[in-house]
């Protein structure tokens, strides 16, 4: 074949030859000091990768063609939530997540006239109730529907500082529902949003999951992992690949045979109040990373989510970003787009190795819950948060429209429907909660005050 002979006229260049040429061009400067840089996680990035020294084995099996567009739906008014769901499905949503705070809602009214074939429905519950789980199980069986319950007592402890009830009651509940429909979600996005670096995010997520493997008998249902995706494009692709690889390694030790189900959402940490339209650019690349990294479902973050209440326009724009990626950019046509990319595979292996090392250290020192109670996890995340905050404050980490090229005429004071900053709400808690914090908060507060 003519195509097979296309490159036969060129001699192969080894990695050694590349390095020799680079060293010549450097005119005596040190190769490692000049061209190999290291991330905050200790990940080394080289100037080039070559198959004779970076022949990495791909242990990640992603199915990008199966990624679905997930629409969030906070249930306050049942009839409005039902109407919104019907409209979202007509406009391109493929899965729905209901966030429910009150177990007295009518499932029949909420799910009236909804399609159940080829649509998954998530129920993110802010409470634990055997009766409500029984209702969901019965409804799903009767209507041949795919329901997934999202309950995470450890995630509740992490975010709120307290359990739903207490440790014993919460895990008793999980053991009671473990034989029914999928019920468990690991809400790990908070680690990224609070400032943890990628190695910490992976290790804490793994340790978070391991507590459930140790404490819930017969954990034979698929586990959902929620992650937040930041702006470091290739690193985020590698992070999701590493997460799947680490989960499979851990699950194998417990004879858990189900693949994890990954839901990815763009990070809040780098989103801004001023020049808010730039948030659409940030979320687009973050959704791209999520898809290429192998997320099963992607729930986009509306560009105005920081300061506007849930609204149809913001939701539609967020959903359309994913629709463009899927139907116009064909991101769902290749299952393993990162296969053979030595750079991404190198990042994947380095992140996985470092995360596994940290995970083992957590387990050797009492496990995840113990280290939360001792405050070790919170302290480590705070240290990472402060390092990144200093980079932002010094202008070394840039958010366009905020700490570089700000529009001085941009006014936001009268557009705030929501309070976009960390709230100081001192109260008695079992542990110090992990608090999500955006990099731009201090600068934005100063600009808001200056508007007066």
């Amino acid at each position: 074949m003519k195509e097979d002979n296309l490159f036969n006229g060129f001699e192969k260049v080894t990695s050694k030859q590349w390095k020799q040429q680079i060293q010549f061009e450097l005119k005596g400067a040190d190769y490692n000091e000049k061209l190999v840089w290291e991330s905050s996680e200790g990940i080394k990035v080289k100037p080039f990768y070559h198959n004779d020294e970076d022949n990495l084995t791909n242990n990640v099996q992603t199915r990008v063609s199966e990624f679905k567009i997930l629409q969030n739906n906070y249930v306050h008014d049942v009839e409005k939530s039902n109407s919104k769901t019907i409209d979202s499905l007509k406009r391109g949503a493929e899965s729905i997540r209901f966030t429910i705070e009150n177990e007295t809602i009518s499932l029949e009214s909420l799910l009236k006239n909804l399609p159940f074939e080829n649509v998954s429905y998530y129920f993110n519950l802010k409470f634990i109730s055997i009766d409500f789980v029984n209702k969901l199980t019965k409804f799903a069986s009767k209507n041949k529907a795919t329901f997934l319950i999202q309950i995470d007592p450890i995630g509740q402890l992490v975010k709120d500082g307290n359990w739903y009830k207490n440790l014993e009651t919460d895990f008793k509940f999980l053991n009671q529902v473990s034989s029914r429909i999928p019920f468990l979600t690991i809400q790990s996005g908070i680690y990224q949003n609070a400032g943890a670096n990628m190695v910490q995010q992976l290790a804490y997520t793994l340790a978070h999951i391991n507590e459930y493997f140790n404490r819930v008998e017969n954990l034979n249902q698929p586990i959902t992992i929620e992650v937040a995706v930041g702006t470091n494009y290739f690193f985020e692709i590698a992070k999701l690949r590493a997460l799947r690889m680490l989960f499979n390694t851990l699950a194998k030790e417990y004879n858990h045979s189900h693949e994890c189900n990954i839901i990815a959402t763009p990070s809040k940490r780098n989103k801004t109040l001023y020049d808010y339209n730039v948030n659409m650019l940030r979320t687009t690349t973050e959704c791209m990373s999520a898809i290429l990294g192998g997320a099963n479902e992607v729930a986009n973050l509306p560009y105005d989510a920081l300061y506007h209440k849930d609204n149809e326009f913001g939701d539609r724009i967020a959903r359309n970003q994913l629709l463009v990626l899927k139907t116009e950019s064909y991101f769902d046509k290749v299952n393993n787009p990162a296969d053979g990319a030595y750079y991404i595979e190198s990042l994947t292996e380095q992140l996985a190795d470092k995360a596994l090392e940290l995970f083992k250290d957590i387990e050797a020192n009492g496990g995840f819950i113990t280290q939360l109670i001792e405050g070790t996890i919170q302290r480590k995340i705070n240290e990472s948060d402060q390092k990144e905050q200093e980079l932002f404050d010094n202008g070394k980490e840039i958010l366009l429209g905020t700490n570089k090229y700000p529009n001085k005429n941009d006014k936001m004071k009268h557009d705030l429907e929501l309070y976009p900053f960390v709230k100081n709400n001192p109260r008695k808690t079992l542990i110090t909660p992990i608090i999500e914090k955006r990099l731009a908060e201090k600068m934005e507060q100063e600009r808001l005050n200056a508007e007066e």
Side-chain angles (χ1 to χ4, degrees):
M1 293 290 290
K2 184 177 180 180
E3 290 81 1
D4 295 335
N5 298 322
L6 185 61
F7 294 101
N8 285 354
F10 298 92
E11 292 184 6
K12 291 185 177 179
V13 182
T14 67
S15 61
K16 183 178 181 180
Q17 289 173 303
W18 276 112
K19 285 184 179 178
Q20 288 174 340
Q21 181 63 34
I22 291 172
Q23 196 66 57
F24 174 77
E25 298 290 342
L26 286 173
K27 298 178 180 179
D30 186 86
Y31 171 86
N32 289 311
E33 289 184 5
K34 197 75 174 177
L35 297 180
V36 178
W37 62 272
E38 191 171 299
S39 74
S40 60
E41 297 90 353
I43 305 300
K44 294 185 182 297
V45 179
K46 301 186 296 184
F48 78 97
Y49 293 82
H50 196 287
N51 62 359
D52 66 11
E53 67 174 24
D54 297 298
N55 190 17
L56 303 172
T57 302
N58 174 38
N59 294 316
V60 185
Q61 296 299 315
T62 59
R63 294 180 293 277
V64 175
S65 64
E66 297 179 6
F67 101 85
K68 293 184 177 180
I69 298 170
L70 178 62
Q71 179 69 57
N72 289 315
N73 192 330
Y74 181 84
V75 180
H76 177 68
D77 184 305
V78 173
E79 290 185 1
K80 287 183 179 179
S81 292
N82 174 262
S83 177
K84 176 183 175 180
T85 299
I86 293 172
D87 182 68
S88 297
L89 290 170
K90 287 180 180 178
R91 291 171 175 260
E94 297 164 308
S95 299
I96 301 294
R97 172 163 53 190
F98 296 112
T99 296
I100 301 174
E101 292 192 342
N102 189 341
E103 64 179 293
T104 62
I105 69 160
S106 168
L107 281 178
E108 288 73 18
S109 299
L110 179 62
L111 303 172
K112 183 180 179 181
N113 298 325
L114 296 187
F116 296 116
E117 187 176 357
N118 299 322
V119 180
S120 297
Y121 294 91
Y122 291 85
F123 294 85
N124 179 26
L125 305 184
K126 299 301 182 182
F127 55 87
I128 54 175
S129 166
I130 291 293
D131 290 340
F132 196 81
V133 171
N134 287 339
K135 288 179 184 179
L136 285 170
T137 304
K138 185 177 179 180
F139 192 101
S141 177
K142 179 181 178 181
N143 293 277
K144 297 180 180 179
T146 301
F147 285 179
L148 299 95
I149 300 172
Q150 293 190 282
I151 293 281
D152 183 10
I154 298 175
Q156 170 71 11
L157 176 68
V158 165
K159 187 173 184 176
D160 186 71
N162 292 310
W163 301 97
Y164 291 109
K165 303 290 185 181
N166 54 62
L167 186 150
E168 183 179 349
T169 302
D170 287 7
F171 279 97
K172 181 180 179 181
F173 167 81
L174 293 183
N175 279 288
Q176 287 176 313
V177 301
S178 63
S179 61
R180 306 177 195 188
I181 58 179
F183 67 96
L184 186 61
T185 289
I186 310 303
Q187 297 174 341
S188 69
I190 190 169
Y191 307 130
Q192 198 278 347
N193 282 315
N197 65 43
M198 288 191 191
V199 169
Q200 290 173 329
Q201 293 168 45
L202 290 168
Y204 296 161
T205 301
L206 203 63
H208 191 148
I209 297 168
N210 197 49
E211 291 286 353
Y212 289 120
F213 276 131
N214 283 320
R215 295 171 184 269
V216 180
E217 298 177 5
N218 303 317
L219 186 48
N220 58 359
Q221 296 282 6
I223 296 173
T224 295
I225 306 174
E226 285 194 42
V227 298
V229 179
T231 193
N232 196 339
Y233 188 72
F234 292 109
F235 272 64
E236 291 292 347
I237 294 172
K239 183 180 81 176
L240 266 65
R241 289 163 55 84
L243 174 59
R244 194 175 292 278
M245 188 163 65
L246 289 167
F247 176 85
N248 290 341
T249 300
L250 181 64
K252 186 177 180 181
E253 296 298 314
Y254 292 94
N255 297 315
H256 182 83
S257 58
H258 296 279
E259 283 276 337
C260 63
N261 181 59
I262 297 177
I263 296 176
T265 301
S267 170
K268 295 177 185 175
R269 187 161 173 80
N270 64 345
K271 302 304 177 290
T272 57
L273 182 62
Y274 288 91
D275 212 353
Y276 50 76
N277 286 318
V278 180
N279 290 333
M280 281 188 276
L281 303 178
R282 298 182 181 117
T283 56
T284 298
T285 64
E286 289 159 0
C287 287
M288 289 164 66
S289 292
I291 296 165
L292 297 178
N296 300 89
E297 300 182 73
V298 182
N300 197 9
L301 185 72
Y303 74 99
D304 59 348
L306 298 180
Y307 64 94
H308 271 169
K309 295 178 181 177
D310 188 29
N311 62 90
E312 193 275 336
F313 182 77
D315 284 345
R316 181 167 63 85
I317 293 298
R319 188 170 57 247
N320 283 350
Q321 288 174 260
L322 290 170
L323 285 168
V324 168
L325 291 175
K326 189 164 194 174
T327 63
E328 295 187 20
S329 302
Y330 309 112
F331 267 56
D332 63 337
K333 298 304 180 186
V334 179
N335 272 332
N336 286 300
D339 278 10
Y342 295 128
Y343 175 46
I344 293 177
E345 291 190 5
S346 173
L347 294 179
T348 301
E349 289 207 357
Q350 288 186 73
L351 285 169
D353 288 345
K354 288 184 177 294
L356 189 59
E357 183 179 342
L358 179 54
F359 165 74
K360 290 178 179 179
D361 179 74
I362 294 169
E363 294 305 308
N365 287 281
F368 191 62
I369 293 176
T370 296
Q371 291 213 350
L372 281 172
I373 293 172
E374 292 174 350
T376 304
I377 302 296
Q378 296 92 321
R379 177 171 53 81
K380 293 293 185 181
I381 291 177
N382 185 61
E383 290 172 358
S384 177
D385 162 53
Q386 290 303 312
K387 288 180 181 178
E388 188 179 18
Q389 188 68 54
E390 286 176 12
L391 290 174
F392 174 80
D393 293 343
N394 295 330
K396 294 180 180 179
E397 182 159 336
I398 294 169
L399 293 179
L400 291 177
T402 301
N403 67 342
K404 191 164 188 176
Y405 307 127
N407 178 3
K408 299 296 185 181
N409 296 321
D410 196 5
K411 307 296 182 183
M412 290 299 299
K413 187 174 182 65
H414 299 294
D415 290 328
L416 305 184
E417 296 177 354
L418 301 172
Y419 186 73
F421 308 114
V422 172
K423 294 180 180 179
N424 293 318
N425 185 23
R427 56 193 174 84
K428 187 175 181 180
T429 57
L430 179 64
I431 69 166
T432 301
I434 294 173
I435 305 297
E436 297 178 344
K437 182 185 177 185
R438 294 183 299 106
L439 291 169
E441 289 195 16
K442 180 181 177 182
M443 192 170 289
E444 289 172 350
Q445 286 176 313
E446 291 173 354
R447 287 187 65 176
L448 283 174
N449 290 335
E451 285 185 30
E452 296 179 352

